[in-house]
């Protein structure tokens, strides 16, 4: 990895800073393969306590997204990557709000809703 | 980018305000990075719709009845390996090694095409079993989310064909290599979205 700092920042993806590029992709590939295989194994196996399966799948997916960001897109915490990291953090924030916000609101609405047969009885 | 610009940017003594704007390569890639994040936000809305509606099968077939995880595993491997070959292609482009770049990008294209082919065959199989997008809210949101991802991959394949033509006619000009690097970002981002798709849609269906 280069220690040179470009004041103008540097963009994600392959660039002047990507030394040992091939190695980075191969490390990323092996992480991704292991995590993908683990995800499918978790979904197939009966060895894991069933309520824990979605949590484990979520952890494996987040780990794999992280591996892709670091080894394929070459996102790092270097000083000259502040712009990329800030944009990414905002993106993750909006994604989290959208997904978890929708899920919480919709499950509450569902919970508060009158059961369909009861509703039909009243309307009759 | 010529040598004098490089040396000015690298000079440690020159303050930021004297260095002028960042190079077109940095500006283009950063702008494209912002676009990709906004694209991922759009996918997030579809993921949210799917997460809310995934149980609403209206008495029809559910995900566990319809999905074939072995099929999905092969799709995942295609996309993952195409991401890596794309990365190798980007490194070759950086070295301006046209032959090696062409071979890696051709491999990327073929793996992407296999992925799209597998997905289209899956969609046709589902529709022929009476599980089309109009069957239930679950299937509407499924086809919306997975279909949009597939459409992105198809667009990426078309983009790659255009880039083959541009490299052939224009060579590795800065303008062309910038577009190729943006394609690389796009392709890696699609692979990240696919990680979410196979975890939430396909593996999540077997809870």
């Amino acid at each position: 990895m280069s220690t040179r700092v470009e004041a103008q920042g540097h963009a994600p993806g392959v660039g002047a800073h990507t030394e040992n590029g091939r190695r980075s992709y191969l490390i990323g590939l092996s992480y991704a393969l292991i995590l993908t295989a683990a995800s499918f194994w978790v979904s197939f196996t009966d060895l894991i306590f069933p309520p824990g399966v979605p949590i484990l799948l979520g952890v494996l997916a987040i780990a794999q997204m992280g591996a892709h960001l670091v080894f394929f897109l070459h996102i790092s915490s270097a000083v000259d990557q502040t712009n990329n990291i800030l944009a990414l953090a905002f993106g993750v924030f909006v994604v989290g709000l959208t997904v978890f916000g929708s899920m919480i609101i919709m499950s509450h609405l569902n919970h508060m809703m009158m059961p369909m047969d009861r509703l039909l009885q009243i309307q009759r | 980018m010529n040598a004098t610009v490089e040396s000015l940017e690298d000079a440690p003594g020159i303050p930021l305000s004297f260095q002028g704007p960042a190079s077109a390569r940095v500006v283009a890639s950063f702008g494209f990075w912002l676009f990709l994040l906004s694209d991922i936000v759009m996918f997030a809305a579809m993921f949210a719709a799917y997460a809310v509606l995934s149980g609403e099968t209206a008495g029809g077939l559910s995900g566990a009845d319809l999905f074939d995880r072995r099929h999905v595993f092969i799709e995942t491997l295609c996309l993952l390996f195409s991401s890596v070959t794309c990365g190798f292609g980007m490194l070759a482009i950086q070295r301006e090694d046209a032959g090696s770049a062409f071979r890696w990008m051709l491999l990327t294209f073929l793996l992407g095409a296999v992925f799209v082919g597998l997905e289209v065959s899956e969609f046709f199989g589902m529709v022929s079993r009476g599980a089309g997008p109009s069957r239930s809210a679950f299937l509407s949101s499924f086809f919306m989310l997975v279909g949009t991802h597939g459409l992105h991959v198809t667009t990426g394949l078309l983009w790659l064909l255009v880039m083959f033509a541009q490299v052939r006619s224009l060579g590795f000009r800065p303008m062309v290599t910038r577009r190729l690097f943006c394609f690389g970002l796009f392709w890696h981002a699609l692979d990240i979205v696919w990680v979410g798709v196979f975890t939430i849609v396909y593996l999540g269906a077997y809870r």
Side-chain angles (χ1 to χ4, degrees), chain B residues 22-153:
Chain B
S23 66
R25 158 103 176 77
V26 170
V27 172
S29 293
F30 183 64
F32 199 75
W33 176 235
L34 293 183
F35 158 72
L36 285 177
L37 289 168
S38 72
D39 212 30
I40 286 173
V41 168
M42 183 194 73
F43 273 111
M46 292 178 194
F47 273 115
Y50 181 84
V52 168
L53 297 172
S54 59
E56 313 303 322
T57 54
L61 294 170
S62 73
D65 306 321
L66 284 167
F67 302 148
D68 177 4
R69 276 173 290 185
R70 288 180 183 81
H71 190 98
V72 177
F73 189 63
I74 297 169
E75 280 181 301
T76 306
L77 288 185
C78 281
L79 213 54
L80 178 60
F81 278 102
S82 86
S83 217
V84 174
T85 57
C86 175
F88 285 168
M90 292 300 128
L91 292 173
I93 289 161
Q94 208 172 26
R95 294 194 308 268
E96 306 209 339
D97 179 351
S100 162
F102 176 73
R103 279 190 294 277
W104 285 120
M105 295 322 279
L106 190 67
L107 205 55
T108 307
F109 182 89
L110 291 177
L111 285 166
V114 170
F115 172 84
V116 172
L118 285 171
E119 194 160 280
V120 167
S121 79
E122 186 199 15
F123 282 5
F124 272 107
M126 284 173 73
V127 171
S128 69
R129 287 173 72 185
S134 55
R135 177 63 187 82
S136 64
F138 151 66
L139 284 163
S140 301
S141 58
F142 167 81
F143 278 98
M144 184 72 193
L145 172 59
V146 184
T148 306
H149 180 269
L151 218 54
H152 272 76
V153 178

Side-chain angles (χ1 to χ4, degrees), chain B residues 109 152-164 183 187:
Chain B
F109 182 89
H152 272 76
V153 178
T154 313
T155 313
L157 292 178
L158 290 177
W159 184 356
L160 198 51
L161 285 181
V162 172
M163 289 326 294
F164 281 138
F183 170 80
W187 205 247

